[in-house]
Amino acid sequence: MGTLSKLKNKLLGTDIDYSEEFTDDYVEIDTKKDIGRKSKVVVRPFIISEFTDVKDALDALREGYTIALINIKPIRDRDIVELKRAINKLKKTCDAIEGDIAGFGEDWIVVTPSFAQVYRTTETEEVKE
Amino acid sequence: MTEEKIIIVLQRLCQIEEDVSVPKNVRFRIKNAIVALEDNNRQIDVKIDKALEELSEVDNDPNIPVYTRTQIWNIVSALECK
């Protein structure tokens, strides 16, 4: 194959051998690809260290397809008053989106949009303001 | 909360947003609250919740004029009233 032909194939991409890329044991997933806003329900963890951290969770919940798992341990250890404010805010937003909110364990709160409900057992607690 | 009340709230917010004596950062938050209330893609309760969040951050600003703070409180009361 001449030099010019090789150069032409390289520029047009016709000389690329794909057989080695698509083997059975390795598939590369593009994690940055946008899967679309409403294609899947998202279960997303949040860590609340201060009152302003709750804003991200609230914005995600208002989108309507995010189930929020919120770790309240840092804010609980820091300031109980801020914790109460944050939970109050979460409850108000939960009411606005007609969702459900419950605590499980000492450090976690789950907030769901309207399409989901938290199953109540003896291990889940009602979230009190 | 009815759409008519939302419109009244929007008019009040627009008046504050156009007031040049109000600091720019406060007007920016007011603008965000207006955008939240005008969003037709969301339910009314969600719009109000988002607007209340923006207005609560306005209330925390120490540079806001006293009369504007009173106006904001009245608007928040109107939005929280069901």
Side-chain angles (χ1 to χ4, degrees), chain A residues 55 59 62-63 93 96-97, chain B residues 42 45-46 49-50 53:
Chain A
K55 188 177 184 304
D59 288 338
R62 288 190 199 105
E63 292 297 321
T93 299
I97 64 175
Chain B
R42 294 186 177 183
D45 288 335
V46 178
D49 184 70
K50 177 70 178 169
E53 184 182 336

Side-chain angles (χ1 to χ4, degrees), chain A residues 88-104:
Chain A
N88 191 25
K89 190 69 189 159
L90 283 166
K91 278 204 85 173
K92 283 190 175 178
T93 299
C94 181
D95 290 340
I97 64 175
E98 295 178 355
D100 197 5
I101 183 170
F104 60 99

Side-chain angles (χ1 to χ4, degrees), chain B residues 17-68:
Chain B
E17 202 258 334
E18 291 165 3
D19 185 356
V20 293
S21 64
V22 176
K24 255 186 187 176
N25 58 336
V26 174
R27 283 194 283 163
F28 178 74
R29 291 245 181 250
I30 299 283
K31 183 70 180 170
N32 289 344
I34 292 170
V35 168
L37 285 172
E38 288 177 341
D39 186 359
N40 293 325
N41 295 327
R42 294 186 177 183
Q43 290 182 350
I44 195 166
D45 288 335
V46 178
K47 290 196 292 187
I48 291 172
D49 184 70
K50 177 70 178 169
L52 283 171
E53 184 182 336
E54 294 290 340
L55 293 175
S56 67
E57 292 186 20
V58 168
D59 192 40
N60 293 333
D61 192 303
N63 299 319
I64 189 172
V66 176
Y67 57 89
T68 306

Side-chain angles (χ1 to χ4, degrees), chain A residues 30-129:
Chain A
D30 185 7
T31 57
K32 293 179 184 175
K33 184 180 175 185
D34 183 16
I35 59 171
R37 292 184 64 190
K38 298 186 177 178
S39 58
K40 278 190 176 180
V41 173
V42 178
V43 180
R44 187 171 166 187
F46 296 92
I47 299 173
I48 308 295
S49 304
E50 55 184 4
F51 178 72
T52 51
D53 293 342
V54 81
K55 188 177 184 304
D56 290 338
L58 295 177
D59 288 338
L61 286 165
R62 288 190 199 105
E63 292 297 321
Y65 56 92
T66 298
I67 297 172
L69 298 175
I70 302 170
N71 186 345
I72 57 170
K73 188 177 188 318
I75 192 173
R76 186 167 54 93
D77 292 341
R78 179 178 156 157
D79 187 354
I80 201 81
V81 174
E82 275 200 36
L83 170 65
K84 287 185 178 180
R85 282 181 69 204
I87 290 178
N88 191 25
K89 190 69 189 159
L90 283 166
K91 278 204 85 173
K92 283 190 175 178
T93 299
C94 181
D95 290 340
I97 64 175
E98 295 178 355
D100 197 5
I101 183 170
F104 60 99
E106 291 184 354
D107 302 332
W108 291 91
I109 287 177
V110 58
V111 188
T112 67
S114 55
F115 61 75
Q117 194 177 8
V118 180
Y119 179 72
R120 257 66 176 178
T121 65
T122 54
E123 287 156 340
T124 56
E125 297 174 2
E126 291 301 323
V127 176
K128 296 174 187 174
E129 296 178 23

